[in-house]
Amino acid sequence: MLFQVGGQGARPTFFEMAAAQQLPASLRAALTYSLGVFALRRPFLHKVLDYDDEFFSLLMLVLETHSLRTTDASFSESLYGLRRRSVNITPSKHTSDMESNDRIRHSGLKKRQKVLSVAFLVILPYVKSKLHAIYNQQREARLQASLWGHDDVRLDDADFLLDQGEISHGQIQASSEAGSIALDLKRKIKTIIGACYPWIHATNEGLSFAYQLLYLLDATGFYGPGLHALGVHVCRATGQELMDSSSRISKIRSRERERLRGPSWLKAIQRVLLSCLYTTLDYAQTGLIAAVFFFKMMEWWYQSAEERMSAPTVYPPPPPPPPPKVARDGIPLPQDRTLCPLCSQKRMNPSVVTVSGFVFCYSCIFKYVSQYKRCPITLMPATVEHIRRLFHDL
């Protein structure tokens, strides 16, 4: 980011860290949506959607490994010009607590920290996603049991039947004891996960919130518990580091090309494959971010089109009907519109006949309609149910 909001020096702002942390989730949502759109025309892509956790984790494994190897930052952090630095704290007995920040030294990431960073960025989110799926499965099973009263009917039974789909019904009933033990163990493990996952999730979210709050208050340099466990600070990359990153990548790739072994034709094929891989990795960040914006735009476009198509057609209101004409044999209208046509006096308790719209005194029109069953002016048929009191006489 080219601007800083409350940031000091190399320390990223809270908003930069939050945006970098939320980017993988946005990327996954965009990829899932795009695959869902393509699956409408290519049904075989539904198999990829069935294993979306594995597909996305494999993609992020490649991106995170390449990013940490070349830039010492995660995929999303490198987009915001951030770098991970190992924290080295030198204890000093002669410095006060206010000067403790002067004893913190940053250095490049060690190999162990890079490997653990990949584990925290890829493996732990994958495990969390699977645990969340198991928890939802157990919760739905408990809800189904509470609604239908079948305590022994669980989704695990359905999973077991699906796994044994190629076996006949008689063979399922005569399954071995080992299979029953494995099934019971699987149920117990899922039950334990369903009971423990809410506490694990709440603890993780609480720790993350506490670290983020402390980071926002400038009370710690670690944005999350994972970074604290790794002993890693996230810092802004300097201009020199950004310029040196390209030369660093070139050196790494030249060493990889020098390690190629085999005959000349095999080396040529390997060089072509490496060049294609390097080109893909170089444009992976830009391509994925462009894909996110593109598919979000397409989602908005098609959603707007669907809303326009499904929205009911709004027609202009029809013109009011023409006013009823005074009948030839009817009572003529007085010149003064405030007078009652029946008694020729100022209207008292004005009431309207709904079939014609003319206003009379309530007592006059009630007596007339009760006797003649019609409007006195237009001679249109009317009953006392068509008389409405008016509380504002015009």
Side-chain angles (χ1 to χ4, degrees):
M1 297 178 70
L2 301 178
F3 56 89
Q4 300 179 11
V5 183
Q8 297 179 357
R11 186 176 185 271
T13 64
F14 175 83
F15 304 102
E16 290 175 295
M17 296 297 297
Q21 186 182 37
Q22 295 173 1
L23 182 61
S26 301
L27 178 61
R28 176 171 183 170
L31 291 177
T32 303
Y33 174 78
S34 61
L35 288 176
V37 173
F38 288 135
L40 296 176
R41 296 182 176 271
R42 299 292 184 269
F44 68 90
L45 290 177
H46 285 289
K47 296 181 180 180
V48 179
L49 292 176
D50 293 338
Y51 298 94
D52 58 338
D53 290 335
E54 290 75 11
F55 172 76
F56 185 76
S57 298
L58 181 61
L59 175 63
M60 294 306 298
L61 178 64
V62 175
L63 295 178
E64 299 291 4
T65 302
H66 173 71
S67 182
L68 285 168
R69 184 183 181 187
T70 56
T71 62
D72 282 351
S74 67
F75 170 73
S76 57
E77 291 166 355
S78 62
L79 292 176
Y80 288 89
L82 305 178
R83 296 293 183 267
R84 294 194 172 198
R85 295 289 178 260
S86 179
V87 179
N88 300 318
I89 301 178
T90 304
S92 178
K93 299 180 180 179
H94 302 287
T95 57
S96 61
D97 294 338
M98 298 298 294
E99 298 174 350
S100 59
N101 290 333
D102 297 335
R103 296 184 284 111
I104 297 178
R105 298 291 181 268
H106 292 150
S107 61
L109 291 181
K110 302 176 183 178
K111 185 177 181 180
R112 178 183 64 86
Q113 291 176 324
K114 292 182 179 180
V115 174
L116 292 178
S117 295
V118 173
F120 275 90
L121 292 170
V122 180
I123 298 177
L124 284 185
Y126 173 76
V127 174
K128 181 180 178 181
S129 177
K130 289 299 181 182
L131 293 178
H132 188 71
I134 294 174
Y135 169 72
N136 287 336
Q137 187 181 19
Q138 293 295 314
R139 185 179 62 179
E140 292 176 0
R142 290 194 299 268
L143 179 61
Q144 183 180 6
S146 63
L147 291 176
W148 298 100
H150 301 291
D151 296 335
D152 54 344
V153 176
R154 304 185 65 85
L155 293 180
D156 299 324
D157 297 336
D159 293 340
F160 175 69
L161 292 177
L162 290 175
D163 295 337
Q164 303 292 333
E166 299 179 356
I167 304 176
S168 63
H169 182 68
Q171 290 176 338
I172 293 178
Q173 292 179 348
S175 59
S176 61
E177 295 183 358
S180 300
I181 294 175
L183 180 60
D184 293 338
L185 181 61
K186 182 180 178 180
R187 289 179 178 176
K188 291 180 181 179
I189 292 175
K190 287 188 175 182
T191 303
I192 293 173
I193 292 175
C196 298
Y197 177 77
W199 299 98
I200 298 174
H201 180 70
T203 302
N204 178 57
E205 293 297 323
L207 284 175
S208 299
F209 175 76
Y211 270 91
Q212 293 174 11
L213 182 61
L214 293 174
Y215 187 87
L216 181 63
L217 298 176
D218 202 10
T220 182
F222 301 101
Y223 184 76
L227 294 175
H228 197 172
L230 293 174
V232 171
H233 276 177
V234 179
C235 306
R236 285 196 183 93
T238 61
Q240 186 64 34
E241 288 176 341
L242 294 176
M243 295 174 61
D244 293 342
S245 60
S246 58
S247 61
R248 179 182 178 183
I249 294 174
S250 300
K251 292 179 181 179
I252 293 175
R253 293 178 177 179
S254 62
R255 288 197 300 266
E256 291 178 350
R257 290 191 178 96
E258 293 175 357
R259 294 175 185 174
L260 298 178
R261 295 292 182 269
S264 58
W265 62 271
L266 181 60
K267 288 183 179 180
I269 295 176
Q270 292 175 349
R271 289 192 186 96
V272 172
L273 294 177
L274 283 177
S275 299
C276 295
L277 178 62
Y278 295 153
T279 303
T280 303
L281 292 175
D282 288 340
Y283 292 98
Q285 292 182 348
T286 305
L288 288 174
I289 298 303
V292 171
F293 286 104
F294 174 75
F295 286 110
K296 286 296 182 182
M297 183 187 68
M298 295 300 294
E299 180 183 10
W300 168 80
W301 177 268
Y302 283 110
Q303 183 178 3
S304 300
E306 291 177 358
E307 290 178 355
R308 289 195 299 269
M309 293 177 63
S310 61
T313 305
V314 179
Y315 296 100
K325 296 180 180 181
V326 178
R328 180 177 302 176
D329 298 332
I331 299 175
L333 290 174
Q335 295 297 328
D336 190 355
R337 299 181 60 183
T338 61
L339 300 180
C340 174
L342 291 173
C343 65
S344 300
Q345 301 294 327
K346 187 174 179 62
R347 286 191 294 259
M348 301 296 295
N349 294 328
S351 300
V352 63
V353 179
T354 57
V355 296
S356 62
F358 292 104
V359 183
F360 309 86
C361 296
Y362 178 77
S363 59
C364 298
I365 191 61
F366 186 83
K367 293 178 182 179
Y368 186 91
V369 172
S370 299
Q371 182 178 359
Y372 297 102
K373 307 295 182 182
R374 64 184 183 182
C375 173
I377 297 176
T378 62
L379 304 182
M380 298 175 64
T383 62
V384 292
E385 285 79 10
H386 295 138
I387 300 174
R388 295 290 184 270
R389 295 285 301 276
L390 297 179
F391 296 93
H392 180 68
D393 192 8
L394 297 177

